[in-house]
Amino acid sequence: MMRFIGRKLSSGKNGSNGMLFCLTKPFKILMCWNHNVGVLSLPITVKERLFNRLHSTEMVTRDKSLGGTYVGQEPMGLIWSMKLASGSRPGMRLRKKDVTVPFSVTVSVYDGWISNNFDKRVALASVVLERFYMAPGTTRIELKEGRIFGTMFFPPGPGPFPAVLDLWGGGGGLVEYRAALLASRGFATLALAYLGHKGVPQSLQVFDPKLLYFEEAFNTLNNHPKVSKDNVAILGLSLGFTIALMMAVEIQNIHPKCLVCISGSHYHMLEKGKSDIQPTFASDSSKIKMTEDGTMIWRNIILPFPEDPKFMVQVDKISCPLMLISGEDDQNWPAPESAIEIQKTLKAAGKTHLLTSLSYPLTGHLIEPPYSPHCRESKFKMHSVNKAVNVLWGGETKSHSDAQEDSWKKILAFLKKNLVLQHPTALAQAKL
């Protein structure tokens, strides 16, 4: 299990200290001053900044911020409210690529309230916070088995462990940080690359009507000697949401124990012989809205949902527990509307006992692990046309951040209930 660790590291330059913390646990910072100060939080590898005005003797877990990118009493406000620094390349999104090294944030204190030109001011004091993604003993293994490409993470110990197949969205690539965090919580996890990665087969091979690539990936995880066989969940965000539903309904030879589906839809995008699973500007341009600065809003592309059932995943055939998570201000995809329709379908099928639905006000599309800085809009690569566009994800920073923290706790509880508590060996390993 992931534990909260705080240890003092050797002093850095200018008398700064370093501290190491678990990524999904709050930290405490105590600052003692006899006059007004400004606080800057700066990721070392990305130019992102936030500003917070503190005063007198302050502790972020106890005292309120009076201004800046967040206000009020917020223990993790220094992290989740980080914004791009002025002058940075627009459309950037802060994401961890190398999960084997901590995410480093420098917190600096300045004399008085300032909001820019920090590089021209001398800090009164600084501290480096290192927040790790992999708990001690967690192992990372690159996977290339047959056509399957991804990364496997295992908790400490011999296993067997309950497992999660982790599917991200249409942005593609290989995203590992959620899988690393899940492994740190006791779940063997496969982060699967399936789009926009050099190691993955061509789209037409991957997105075939029988979903063979995903069936192979599930079986690779399920048959691993360190995995508790037939004790595997599927977790998907955005496009991964749709694929998770399709796998549970349409692949006859796999039986996931439960599904966690975040910010997606049951709209069946993978038509026979079709490899492009992203919106086509030619046919969908009338439903694509644009903000004043040219940022795209895609949420209306598939609305209203088609009445013909062949265009929708037949969710009434689901036979395992399902958790739906949606943000009510999702500007990228109609996740709230889809959650309502799925609930209606399961009710008609007499399967509401399988459904757990979480809906969060003022929350956008990118519901990530807790304390991830809120990203309201960013660049997004359309792999089918090899073009990057600016996309609006939605959400208000405070509400979105609260939703990420709450949903993560409930995801872990849901996985524990459906994977761990029903398997004695897995339960013993989870208690280590």
Side-chain angles (χ1 to χ4, degrees):
M1 294 179 65
M2 184 178 289
R3 297 176 297 168
F4 172 61
I5 299 176
R7 66 182 176 88
K8 190 172 182 179
L9 304 178
S10 58
S11 294
K13 296 180 179 180
N14 301 322
S16 64
N17 294 320
M19 300 191 74
L20 181 65
F21 295 93
C22 157
L23 183 82
T24 58
K25 294 289 186 180
F27 57 70
K28 297 181 180 180
I29 301 177
L30 174 65
M31 292 169 283
C32 300
W33 308 99
N34 58 8
H35 57 290
N36 290 334
V37 297
V39 179
L40 163 70
S41 177
L42 175 65
I44 288 178
T45 56
V46 180
K47 290 183 178 179
E48 306 233 352
R49 299 181 179 181
L50 63 89
F51 316 107
N52 172 28
R53 184 172 62 212
L54 298 176
H55 143 101
S56 189
T57 301
E58 301 291 339
M59 182 180 289
V60 293
T61 56
R62 181 195 66 199
D63 299 301
K64 296 181 178 180
S65 165
L66 304 179
T69 54
Y70 79 92
V71 294
Q73 182 182 348
E74 298 290 343
M76 294 300 294
L78 287 170
I79 302 299
W80 55 249
S81 69
M82 286 192 289
K83 305 293 183 184
L84 278 173
S86 177
S88 298
R89 181 161 51 92
M92 295 177 64
R93 176 181 170 193
L94 181 61
R95 305 182 83 184
K96 194 74 171 73
K97 292 186 177 180
D98 184 357
V99 297
T100 63
V101 297
F103 173 60
S104 298
V105 180
T106 299
V107 178
S108 299
V109 179
Y110 293 85
D111 186 8
W113 164 245
I114 55 176
S115 60
N116 52 44
N117 297 324
F118 285 93
D119 54 340
K120 299 178 181 179
R121 302 288 292 271
V122 177
L124 299 175
S126 295
V127 64
V128 176
L129 306 177
E130 292 187 317
R131 300 178 61 75
F132 62 83
Y133 288 77
M134 296 175 62
T138 303
T139 55
R140 175 186 179 274
I141 301 173
E142 295 182 4
L143 176 68
K144 183 64 176 76
E145 185 171 319
R147 296 193 304 165
I148 307 306
F149 195 97
T151 306
M152 301 187 79
F153 292 88
F154 293 99
F161 303 103
V164 179
L165 178 62
D166 189 15
L167 304 173
W168 283 82
L174 180 56
V175 184
E176 299 183 357
Y177 53 88
R178 187 169 61 196
L181 292 171
L182 287 169
S184 297
R185 284 290 188 177
F187 302 97
T189 308
L190 170 57
L192 182 67
Y194 64 91
L195 180 70
H197 194 283
K198 62 182 180 181
V200 180
Q202 296 297 314
S203 293
L204 190 57
Q205 294 176 294
V206 176
F207 297 109
D208 63 86
K210 296 182 179 180
L211 300 171
L212 293 178
Y213 181 79
F214 299 99
E215 181 178 356
E216 292 173 18
F218 185 94
N219 288 331
T220 297
L221 179 60
N222 190 40
N223 294 327
H224 194 281
K226 294 188 72 171
V227 167
S228 171
K229 192 173 179 63
D230 299 326
N231 204 28
V232 179
I234 306 175
L235 188 157
L237 179 142
S238 195
L239 176 58
F241 175 122
T242 309
I243 294 173
L245 291 180
M246 293 172 63
M247 290 178 68
V249 169
E250 300 179 16
I251 302 178
Q252 301 300 314
N253 299 323
I254 69 170
H255 303 284
K257 268 297 185 68
C258 61
L259 307 175
V260 178
C261 295
I262 308 169
S263 299
S265 172
H266 61 313
Y267 178 71
H268 201 309
M269 293 175 286
L270 308 183
E271 300 173 21
K272 185 175 181 180
K274 178 182 176 183
S275 61
D276 181 8
I277 48 81
Q278 293 176 334
T280 55
F281 289 96
S283 59
D284 303 318
S285 59
S286 62
K287 292 186 176 182
I288 296 176
K289 294 184 178 181
M290 308 286 285
T291 65
E292 292 182 358
D293 63 357
T295 301
M296 292 185 173
I297 300 174
W298 286 355
R299 71 177 323 277
N300 295 318
I301 288 177
I302 59 174
L303 291 178
F305 293 127
E307 295 184 4
D308 190 335
K310 75 176 183 180
F311 292 107
M312 313 302 290
V313 180
Q314 302 303 297
V315 293
D316 58 308
K317 297 180 180 179
I318 287 176
S319 58
C320 65
L322 167 65
M323 172 176 276
L324 299 178
I325 301 174
S326 59
E328 296 175 13
D329 189 42
D330 191 332
Q331 298 298 314
N332 180 254
W333 215 239
E337 291 87 344
S338 187
I340 292 172
E341 292 301 314
I342 291 173
Q343 186 172 5
K344 290 179 180 177
T345 301
L346 291 178
K347 183 177 181 180
K351 295 184 176 181
T352 53
H353 63 286
L354 296 176
L355 179 63
T356 300
S357 186
L358 306 176
S359 180
Y360 294 99
L362 301 177
T363 299
H365 185 75
L366 298 178
I367 301 176
E368 301 209 70
Y371 318 126
S372 300
H374 171 230
C375 180
R376 183 168 173 80
E377 62 179 76
S378 70
K379 292 289 184 183
F380 180 86
K381 186 173 182 179
M382 301 278 293
H383 293 281
S384 58
V385 294
N386 195 30
K387 177 183 179 181
V389 297
N390 217 43
V391 171
L392 184 65
W393 307 112
E396 300 296 331
T397 298
K398 174 66 169 68
S399 298
H400 189 96
S401 300
D402 288 345
Q404 290 186 151
E405 183 175 1
D406 184 74
S407 62
W408 179 253
K409 293 176 183 177
K410 291 176 178 175
I411 288 171
L412 294 177
F414 182 80
L415 292 175
K416 181 178 180 180
K417 175 183 177 180
N418 292 288
L419 295 180
V420 179
L421 296 182
Q422 298 183 20
H423 194 282
T425 304
L427 178 59
Q429 289 294 333
K431 290 181 177 179
L432 292 178

